[in-house]
Amino acid sequence: MSGSIPPDLRGRRARDPFLVAVSTLFTGVQRVRSLRAPVVPRARPVDRTLRLVVQEVRREAADVVALRLAAPDGRVLPGWQPGSHLDVLLPSGRRRQYSLCGDPGDRRTYRIAVRLLPDGAGGSAEAHRLSEGAEVPVLAPRNAFPFLARDRYLFIAGGIGITPILPMVQAADRLGADWRLVYTGRTRASLPFLDDLAALPSGRVRIRADDEHGVPDGAGLLRGAAADAAVYCCGPAPMIDGVRAAFAPGGGATLHYERFAPAPIVDGVPFEVVLGRGGPALAVPADRSALDVIRERRPDVAYSCRQGFCGTCRVGVLDGDVDQRAASDQGDGSMLICVSRGKGGRLTLDL
Ligand code: FES
């Protein structure tokens, strides 16, 4: 529409007062509208949940099952890299992380493996009860243990720690890198995925069972590593701690590891947590996490990784000074109670 005022309704050139009033009102409305902030559609949170089903259950060792997951309609799944994991949402609502241990080139299935923990309860027991056809929501793959391109590798896996390492070994072999794998465990029968490893050059794989050779130390596991090797290590905490203590950086060598259990608490001091304003106060010793202590009183408190990266255990802090120990702590009045702690006084949590 032109901004000029038309002749009056009878065709005269003089400006008609009625049309002038209508035009002025219209222009005013346009101006007010143009001053309003543009309406921006609110971004919806991205739902990363994939609703998968168990396509295959396979026993890989006495206490280890491998689950192959697929979309019900067989569609292509999000890609992943060696070292990635899935967050699996178990029927009870528990959320657990499991490393992807299949072939990243297979875009229609994911493979994970779960070792049944000795107490026979919790997430591992639930995962062992999943049968073929069961629905399993998962979050799309994430990678907290990236596999870097290098010429030489030493891989060290202990027991179920083979799960992130296996796709790395296979990738290193495909890439023509110079690699070695040391795979340890209580007995040969306790070691999953020996069949998969049998397909690799046998001279590069050393299976080392404790009942044949004794429990290895860190220096023994690192023996023979090239001076510029990338060392990738996953397994029980004592094994990782031994490798870390014996590893000598320099000459281009690098050490990369992933824990399945929380790291020991270093330089912790005792403190108290108060569960909500006016709630009970619980004593947290220097060598225990707030999460462990709180769960004795409130077993419903959610957690998953217990290592400060998944965010499941984040709670609001109502009062007190926090010793923030997680890389993802946000300084926003909340804390991850699996790793972050009090500074010695009282912490009142929004629980
Ligand atoms: S349980 Fe994962 S961050 Fe605390």
Side-chain angles (χ1 to χ4, degrees):
M1 179 176 177
S2 155
S4 63
I5 300 171
D8 78 358
L9 297 176
R10 296 182 191 84
R12 292 175 302 200
R13 301 304 311 167
R15 289 155 62 117
D16 184 293
F18 173 72
L19 289 179
V20 169
V22 169
S23 173
T24 304
L25 179 62
F26 177 78
T27 307
V29 169
Q30 290 286 82
R31 285 205 185 113
V32 169
R33 290 176 84 187
S34 68
L35 289 174
R36 255 195 247 143
V39 178
V40 178
R42 185 174 293 178
R44 289 190 187 164
V46 178
D47 184 1
R48 297 172 52 245
T49 308
L50 308 169
R51 303 195 179 280
L52 306 184
V53 293
V54 177
Q55 188 184 74
E56 181 189 62
V57 178
R58 188 181 151 97
R59 190 155 294 276
E60 288 289 342
D63 54 358
V64 177
V65 291
L67 304 175
R68 197 171 284 281
L69 310 175
D73 59 1
R75 69 179 180 276
V76 169
L77 301 173
W80 59 279
Q81 302 296 322
S84 300
H85 68 267
L86 284 185
D87 285 68
V88 176
L89 309 175
L90 293 164
S92 64
R94 291 183 175 104
R95 177 168 144 180
R96 294 290 181 268
Q97 286 84 32
Y98 297 109
S99 295
L100 284 158
C101 56
D103 174 4
D106 172 4
R107 296 294 307 276
R108 297 194 188 268
T109 70
Y110 293 143
R111 184 173 70 165
I112 58 172
V114 184
R115 164 151 279 155
L116 185 64
L117 295 181
D119 61 5
S124 70
E126 263 194 89
H128 271 241
R129 286 197 293 271
L130 293 171
S131 54
E132 289 174 10
E135 292 182 10
V136 184
V138 307
L139 301 187
R142 291 187 295 164
N143 196 345
F145 190 28
F147 176 61
L148 306 175
R150 297 285 289 272
D151 294 333
R152 273 166 284 282
Y153 297 96
L154 173 65
F155 299 103
I156 302 171
I160 195 69
I162 191 66
T163 49
I165 296 291
L166 180 59
M168 294 185 182
V169 171
Q170 292 165 329
D173 195 59
R174 272 196 305 275
L175 293 169
D178 179 9
W179 63 270
R180 297 279 182 282
L181 166 67
V182 185
Y183 186 17
T184 76
R186 287 170 284 121
T187 63
R188 279 181 184 257
S190 72
L191 298 177
F193 301 122
L194 292 180
D195 289 351
D196 294 58
L197 294 173
L200 293 163
S202 60
R204 295 186 179 276
V205 178
R206 182 156 69 104
I207 308 294
R208 194 192 178 293
D210 297 351
D211 64 346
E212 297 169 22
H213 303 281
V215 178
D217 62 14
L221 293 170
L222 287 165
R223 192 165 300 130
D228 61 349
V231 178
Y232 278 83
C233 178
C234 186
M239 187 190 89
I240 291 178
D241 292 341
V243 169
R244 288 180 65 201
F247 178 75
T254 54
L255 175 62
H256 315 261
Y257 58 90
E258 183 172 61
R259 293 180 184 276
F260 281 160
I265 295 166
V266 177
D267 296 334
V269 294
F271 63 102
E272 281 188 334
V273 281
V274 181
L275 308 186
R277 291 200 195 282
L282 310 178
V284 182
D287 60 351
R288 297 192 69 200
S289 71
L291 173 68
D292 286 347
V293 171
I294 291 169
R295 278 181 53 82
E296 287 173 357
R297 178 67 69 99
R298 296 271 298 272
D300 58 322
V301 168
Y303 72 97
S304 181
C305 70
R306 295 189 297 151
Q307 297 179 58
F309 64 80
C310 75
T312 306
C313 69
R314 184 180 300 284
V315 299
V317 179
L318 302 175
D319 201 14
D321 293 329
V322 180
D323 174 6
Q324 303 276 21
R325 293 188 168 212
S328 58
D329 265 330
Q330 298 170 343
D332 62 350
S334 69
M335 69 181 273
L336 299 173
I337 56 174
C338 64
V339 290
S340 291
R341 313 178 52 79
K343 288 187 174 171
R346 275 195 162 188
L347 270 185
T348 304
L349 301 180
D350 190 9
L351 277 170

